[in-house]
Amino acid sequence: NLIGRDRAEAKALFGAGRIAERRKDYAAALRKSHRAIRRDPGATGVLVSLLQVALRAGRTAEADRYGRKLADVPGGDVFLLSRIAMRLAEQGHWEAAAKIYEKVLAAPGGEKPAVTDFVIRLELAKLYHLLDQDDKSAEHFARVLEAMKHPEQSGLDDRLRKELLNDPAPIYRLAG
């Protein structure tokens, strides 16, 4: 079975890449993991590893590319994806971070929006502002502000609102 053989080879290459990463041989880790992802393009764990190694190696263009690919892979652990998006945003990879946050926001959830949805929307609003995508920024800010105005419906109590908007002045200025 060709697919099974590709996956087995991908796992072996991924393992070799992890060993190289532990040795801090990031170039070899990237090479091996890149070959693994070519064998099994849907391997989320390999994409996460590639992204992390690229960030450690200071290869920002590659990190951006793997972040965007990770956002395109169906499914995935939304908690892990949120952490990756946060890390990408902190390092200035705003477009890749926004794409991953959008995927997290679109993931199936309950009927009522979770508090984390509002945190992610706030991050998206900031990222889209930085990316000069003001329409998208305004859309997310409007949803956050609406939740702030109706805390009984959104589940945002006073403590959570204060945490969400640690210093609300700049956010309200951005939102207009």
Side-chain angles (χ1 to χ4, degrees):
N1 182 330
L2 187 58
I3 294 172
R5 194 170 349 134
D6 281 348
R7 284 202 174 130
E9 190 173 334
K11 286 179 182 180
L13 287 164
F14 177 63
R18 297 291 286 180
I19 290 169
E21 181 183 357
R22 281 190 213 112
R23 292 181 182 152
K24 298 192 188 307
D25 184 355
Y26 298 129
L30 284 169
R31 254 190 335 274
K32 302 271 185 200
S33 296
H34 186 70
R35 286 177 51 205
I37 205 65
R38 279 187 281 171
R39 295 282 186 222
D40 188 2
T44 305
V46 178
L47 279 172
V48 169
S49 178
L50 271 165
L51 188 141
Q52 291 172 333
V53 173
L55 287 170
R56 284 189 195 108
R59 295 170 88 166
T60 58
E62 283 182 74
D64 261 354
R65 188 171 74 239
Y66 298 130
R68 285 191 299 275
K69 281 185 180 184
L70 188 60
D72 290 336
V73 173
D77 177 346
V78 293
F79 180 72
L80 176 63
L81 290 172
S82 295
R83 287 181 46 211
I84 289 169
M86 187 185 323
R87 185 169 179 185
L88 286 168
E90 286 171 354
Q91 296 195 359
H93 304 285
W94 302 327
E95 188 177 326
K99 191 166 185 183
I100 292 173
Y101 273 137
E102 289 284 4
K103 178 180 180 172
V104 170
L105 202 56
E111 293 291 316
K112 187 175 173 184
V115 171
T116 54
D117 290 352
F118 300 108
V119 174
I120 290 170
R121 285 191 186 283
L122 181 58
E123 290 303 312
L124 280 167
K126 292 175 190 176
L127 288 169
Y128 285 132
H129 175 73
L130 292 168
L131 291 165
D132 292 324
Q133 295 181 26
D134 295 329
D135 289 346
K136 288 182 179 181
S137 179
E139 176 187 330
H140 287 290
F141 271 127
R143 299 280 295 269
V144 169
L145 293 174
E146 190 64 26
M148 302 291 285
K149 288 178 187 174
H150 303 287
E152 67 285 346
Q153 293 172 349
S154 65
L156 293 176
D157 61 24
D158 284 340
R159 183 187 60 79
L160 288 171
R161 285 195 325 223
K162 285 178 186 172
E163 281 184 38
L164 187 61
L165 293 175
N166 191 14
D167 179 13
I171 293 165
Y172 282 114
R173 275 196 303 275
L174 285 173

